[in-house]
Amino acid sequence: MCISMASKMYATDSKVRWFASEGDINSKLASIIGKKFETYREKWDAVNRFELETDFPLFLQLETNQICNLLCPSCPIGQPEAYTKYISSEKMDWELYQKIILEGEKYDCPSMEPQGTNEPFLDQNLENYIKFAADHGFIDIMLNTNGTILSEERARKVLKSGITRLRFSLDAATKETYEKVRLGAKYDVTMKNIERFLEIKKQEKFELPMVGVNFCKTKFNEHEEDKFIEKWIDKVDFFVIQDFQPPDLDTNYTAFLPSKSNLRESIQESGYNCQQPWQRVLVRSNGEVCPCCAFFSTELSLGNMKEHNLHELWISKEMRELRSMHKLGKYGENPWCKKCVNHMGGEYGDSQLIDIKTPSKN
């Protein structure tokens, strides 16, 4: 992969690599938001080095629903086996969302994302979720979208909401590949929506959000990685290259694995230390609190927000043991963590094979 030397690489964790098109995104955000942002990122870096164990997560991922308009094969919504196990029709109600945000405010939590396994713009209340968090002390509010339904009206609303980072998940550089890996999407429509969003942001002089594009690398799109970077490097603030994560752990996804993966090679050579239980929690739409963002993370549920609070679960014996385990690289002590790391490392054992879902040839 050839990336301009002017680009700077950083990471949210070892599975996701961010490349800033010009300078450092976090430095830009600090110049806009101020000292509080710098302090938060210093803590984030210390947490990622396993040097700081906070008394409350630095990042809250709040899944308000599990609804999407696409059937991408790399997502449980697009895989029948994973859908049955991990997708729920239950929605997070406003009262529960408020409860979580207000607890985050109490503990000075700096960052959040009102999204999980879904397309956020299908929720007409999305901007209210963002604004409520911004009004209650969250300074880094981020969002991923497939961009397929981002109208001019919604673009203007989200630009005024308090959002800090907005990422378009695209996974391809050409129409042909895009419509294979993003099942149900139309390439020309999505490109038009993104271009118009960028125009409005520039014309109306919004400093935020920082805008990026995402490329989840699989066997089906890896040939377009360089072309993807070339296409977007001068148009957005950052781009993200993400390693494929399996939608579930009871199925063999080796057919999805790219021919080369730095993460896979690193796991095979030296093991793995997961940073997510040190950084965050994910609250599913049904209230289950999970220690990571994996599609199957409910298998590691710490409890339900309808019966607990986040601080209680964050400092629980189970969560502290999980953090210690990953700091020491002993992921094999937890059967679900072991399966997750093995799958990221390309080891599937005797898992049942699946049929890869592809678009019809109409």
Side-chain angles (χ1 to χ4, degrees):
M1 177 175 58
C2 299
I3 299 174
S4 167
M5 292 301 291
S7 301
K8 179 168 182 176
M9 193 276 278
Y10 56 107
T12 51
D13 60 49
S14 53
K15 298 186 291 294
V16 182
R17 293 169 293 141
W18 294 50
F19 296 87
S21 300
E22 182 183 348
D24 177 33
I25 289 298
N26 289 317
S27 295
K28 287 184 180 181
L29 287 169
S31 70
I32 296 168
I33 297 169
K35 182 64 178 177
K36 189 175 181 181
F37 187 91
E38 289 183 14
T39 302
Y40 141 58
R41 294 310 299 186
E42 288 169 1
K43 287 183 178 180
W44 184 270
D45 291 341
V47 161
N48 275 358
R49 295 191 300 267
F50 306 102
E51 296 171 358
L52 173 65
E53 190 166 4
T54 59
D55 65 350
F56 196 82
L58 292 176
F59 177 59
L60 305 181
Q61 187 175 359
L62 308 184
E63 181 183 72
T64 57
N65 62 62
Q66 291 189 314
I67 303 169
C68 190
N69 58 330
L70 303 185
L71 293 171
C72 304
S74 58
C75 172
I77 291 177
Q79 290 293 346
E81 298 88 350
Y83 186 98
T84 300
K85 283 182 279 192
Y86 299 122
I87 301 302
S88 167
S89 61
E90 190 169 351
K91 298 180 181 180
M92 182 183 292
D93 62 40
W94 178 245
E95 289 72 23
L96 179 55
Y97 182 85
Q98 285 182 306
K99 172 187 173 181
I100 297 168
I101 292 297
L102 293 176
E103 186 181 359
E105 181 182 31
K106 175 183 175 182
Y107 288 96
D108 203 25
C109 183
S111 62
M112 64 85 61
E113 179 177 20
Q115 179 190 12
T117 307
N118 63 10
E119 168 44 47
F121 283 97
L122 288 169
D123 190 335
Q124 296 304 309
N125 293 316
L126 172 65
E127 292 83 1
N128 294 331
Y129 287 118
I130 296 168
K131 187 176 187 305
F132 188 79
D135 288 345
H136 288 275
F138 287 82
I139 58 174
D140 195 9
I141 303 173
M142 53 200 79
L143 199 68
N144 295 330
T145 174
N146 60 38
T148 58
I149 56 171
L150 183 57
S151 65
E152 286 195 26
E153 178 185 0
R154 294 301 294 279
R156 288 188 165 87
K157 284 180 70 175
V158 78
L159 282 166
K160 297 173 183 176
S161 67
I163 192 79
T164 309
R165 314 183 199 218
L166 181 63
R167 199 161 102 191
F168 292 98
S169 294
L170 302 175
D171 305 337
T174 65
K175 177 182 174 70
E176 180 183 9
T177 300
Y178 175 82
E179 293 183 358
K180 285 181 180 179
V181 299
R182 290 263 152 191
L183 298 187
K186 298 298 182 184
Y187 179 82
D188 294 336
V189 172
T190 303
M191 294 304 108
K192 182 180 178 181
N193 290 347
I194 297 172
E195 289 164 6
R196 185 59 183 141
F197 178 85
L198 293 172
E199 286 174 3
I200 293 170
K201 180 176 182 282
K202 182 177 181 180
Q203 289 168 359
E204 301 190 10
K205 297 181 170 58
F206 283 96
E207 285 188 296
L208 298 174
M210 295 292 173
V211 180
V213 290
N214 190 82
F215 187 93
C216 179
K217 187 175 176 180
T218 68
K219 185 175 183 178
F220 313 119
N221 65 4
E222 62 181 336
H223 61 288
E224 291 191 0
E225 182 178 1
D226 287 346
K227 190 171 184 177
F228 179 83
I229 294 166
E230 292 168 8
K231 177 178 176 64
W232 291 105
I233 194 165
D234 295 323
K235 296 179 181 178
V236 294
D237 301 301
F238 64 92
F239 53 95
V240 178
I241 308 299
Q242 181 176 351
D243 279 88
F244 168 75
Q245 304 298 305
D248 72 272
L249 295 178
D250 295 320
T251 308
N252 191 329
Y253 287 92
T254 51
F256 283 72
L257 300 179
S259 58
K260 181 175 175 57
S261 163
N262 293 334
L263 175 63
R264 188 167 72 235
E265 291 173 7
S266 174
I267 290 172
Q268 292 171 352
E269 291 174 6
S270 54
Y272 189 69
N273 303 84
C274 187
Q275 297 153 320
Q276 291 204 6
W278 286 71
Q279 307 165 337
R280 70 184 72 195
V281 291
L282 162 61
V283 184
R284 290 289 184 191
S285 58
N286 61 5
E288 292 295 319
V289 179
C290 309
C292 67
C293 69
F295 294 125
F296 42 82
S297 59
T298 46
E299 304 288 359
L300 295 167
S301 177
L302 302 165
N304 196 291
M305 279 301 295
K306 297 168 187 176
E307 302 162 356
H308 301 276
N309 61 60
L310 282 183
H311 182 255
E312 171 191 359
L313 297 175
W314 181 255
I315 65 170
S316 66
K317 178 176 179 287
E318 292 78 10
M319 190 60 161
R320 286 185 283 110
E321 287 178 349
L322 194 65
R323 284 195 286 270
S324 176
M325 181 188 79
H326 282 292
K327 178 179 181 178
L328 298 172
K330 296 182 178 181
Y331 61 84
E333 293 181 359
N334 182 290
W336 287 99
C337 295
K338 180 180 179 179
K339 288 174 75 173
C340 176
V341 175
N342 284 349
H343 284 211
M344 289 191 298
E347 180 184 330
Y348 279 84
D350 297 324
S351 296
Q352 178 185 354
L353 291 173
I354 64 163
D355 293 324
I356 298 167
K357 196 168 185 180
T358 57
S360 64
K361 301 298 183 181
N362 293 342

